[in-house]
Amino acid sequence: MTEVSILFFRAGLALLAMPIYLLSFLGIWEPFCKKIFFPFFLEKLSAIHNRKTKKQKQELFRNLPDFAGPSGELKLLEIGTGCGANFQFYPPGCKVTCTDINPNFQQGLSRSMSQNQHIHYERFLVAAGEDLHQVPSGSVDAVVCTLVLCSVQSVNSTLKEVMRVLKPGGVFYFLEHVADDHSSWRYFWQQVCYPTWKLVFAGCCLTREIWKNLEQANFSELKLQHISVPLPGTPIKPHIIGYAVK
């Protein structure tokens, strides 16, 4: 019965979003989404999300300086930098390599860089989380990934790349929205919205249980907490936050 209900409501939502499905079929939606809609949407969403998670992010990144190299230099790689929502939380002087699969965030990214001149920007790489071949193995002290693992092609492959580029004893920081409890109404609506949401919001998956991928990865230490960050008007609320040490 639940499966039938999900299919029924999915069909209704797809009907409402029919213009976007049509544009997608014609090959128009994806380039428009990538170049115009998603960069605009993500900058607005990041500002809202940062307001809601400011204290959690401050606490999350508080120990970043502890992972600096012997010289005191901290080399940080961010996967899915987007508009640079995390820059304000990084310690002064850290050297940041920005990566994103979408190169169309220049305006928001430039604004964030100009507002956060306490850090040193090394380079920007157009790269997917699953393929960071431009970054040498064992070359960074920290990797950061927030609201990105929901939309990568493979969470496990991305985590393997994280492990590869980290120095021994390096750290991986994460903050991700995840699937709700399977018995909840929110999970029901996450399943209903899944196909249309993924199409509209550049591959974002609502029902991933990312904590399981992290628990199965070969990190020597994992600090993971489940928190609630409600985003009104969306089926997003449960998140995971924490860090893992190589």
Side-chain angles (χ1 to χ4, degrees):
M1 185 64 184
T2 303
E3 287 78 10
V4 173
S5 300
I6 290 169
L7 290 173
F8 175 78
F9 284 109
R10 274 185 180 178
L13 190 57
L15 201 59
L16 291 173
M18 187 56 68
I20 293 177
Y21 278 93
L22 181 59
L23 290 173
S24 177
F25 176 76
L26 295 172
I28 297 170
W29 174 253
E30 187 175 346
F32 170 77
C33 179
K34 189 176 181 180
K35 292 180 181 178
I36 299 171
F37 171 72
F38 198 64
F40 172 81
F41 168 79
L42 188 64
E43 189 170 9
K44 303 302 180 188
L45 176 69
S46 296
I48 296 168
H49 200 268
N50 260 359
R51 285 198 296 271
K52 289 177 172 286
T53 60
K54 187 173 183 179
K55 288 183 179 178
Q56 289 98 326
K57 281 192 173 184
Q58 287 173 334
E59 179 62 25
L60 174 66
F61 295 121
R62 186 174 52 84
N63 68 344
L64 244 178
D66 297 345
F67 294 93
S71 65
E73 180 181 87
L74 180 70
K75 300 193 81 169
L76 185 150
L77 171 76
E78 180 159 6
I79 298 174
T81 305
C83 302
N86 296 318
F87 292 163
Q88 62 182 289
F89 303 104
Y90 296 160
C94 78
K95 295 188 172 181
V96 180
T97 295
C98 304
T99 74
D100 206 291
I101 196 170
N102 186 347
N104 297 292
F105 294 107
Q106 292 97 330
Q107 288 186 341
L109 192 58
S110 295
R111 276 193 290 270
S112 190
M113 284 177 169
S114 65
Q115 292 164 8
N116 294 280
Q117 296 185 17
H118 64 288
I119 57 182
H120 176 71
Y121 302 100
E122 293 216 288
R123 55 180 176 157
F124 179 91
L125 302 174
V126 178
E130 302 92 334
D131 182 11
L132 300 169
H133 69 271
Q134 300 168 79
V135 183
S137 299
S139 64
V140 297
D141 302 297
V143 176
V144 173
C145 189
T146 62
L147 302 183
V148 172
L149 293 178
C150 59
S151 57
V152 296
Q153 291 291 324
S154 168
V155 176
N156 289 337
S157 296
T158 301
L159 293 178
K160 283 180 182 177
E161 278 291 80
V162 169
M163 290 285 277
R164 182 186 66 77
V165 302
L166 278 175
K167 295 176 180 177
V171 63
F172 172 56
Y173 292 89
F174 55 88
L175 170 59
E176 301 287 343
H177 69 84
V178 293
D180 210 325
D181 184 272
H182 285 205
S183 62
S184 68
W185 271 110
R186 184 171 284 104
Y187 183 68
F188 172 83
W189 288 112
Q190 285 177 338
Q191 291 181 90
V192 168
C193 294
Y194 183 94
T196 299
W197 186 277
K198 187 176 181 181
L199 172 66
V200 174
F201 298 110
C204 175
C205 299
L206 291 167
T207 57
R208 286 186 174 172
E209 299 176 332
I210 298 168
W211 67 90
K212 293 181 179 179
N213 302 90
L214 286 159
E215 288 165 354
Q216 291 162 10
N218 293 318
F219 290 105
S220 64
E221 180 185 352
L222 176 62
K223 300 285 187 183
L224 187 152
Q225 183 182 359
H226 290 260
I227 62 171
S228 291
V229 184
L231 295 176
T234 79
I236 293 174
K237 185 178 181 181
H239 285 60
I240 55 170
I241 188 171
Y243 65 90
V245 179
K246 181 175 175 178

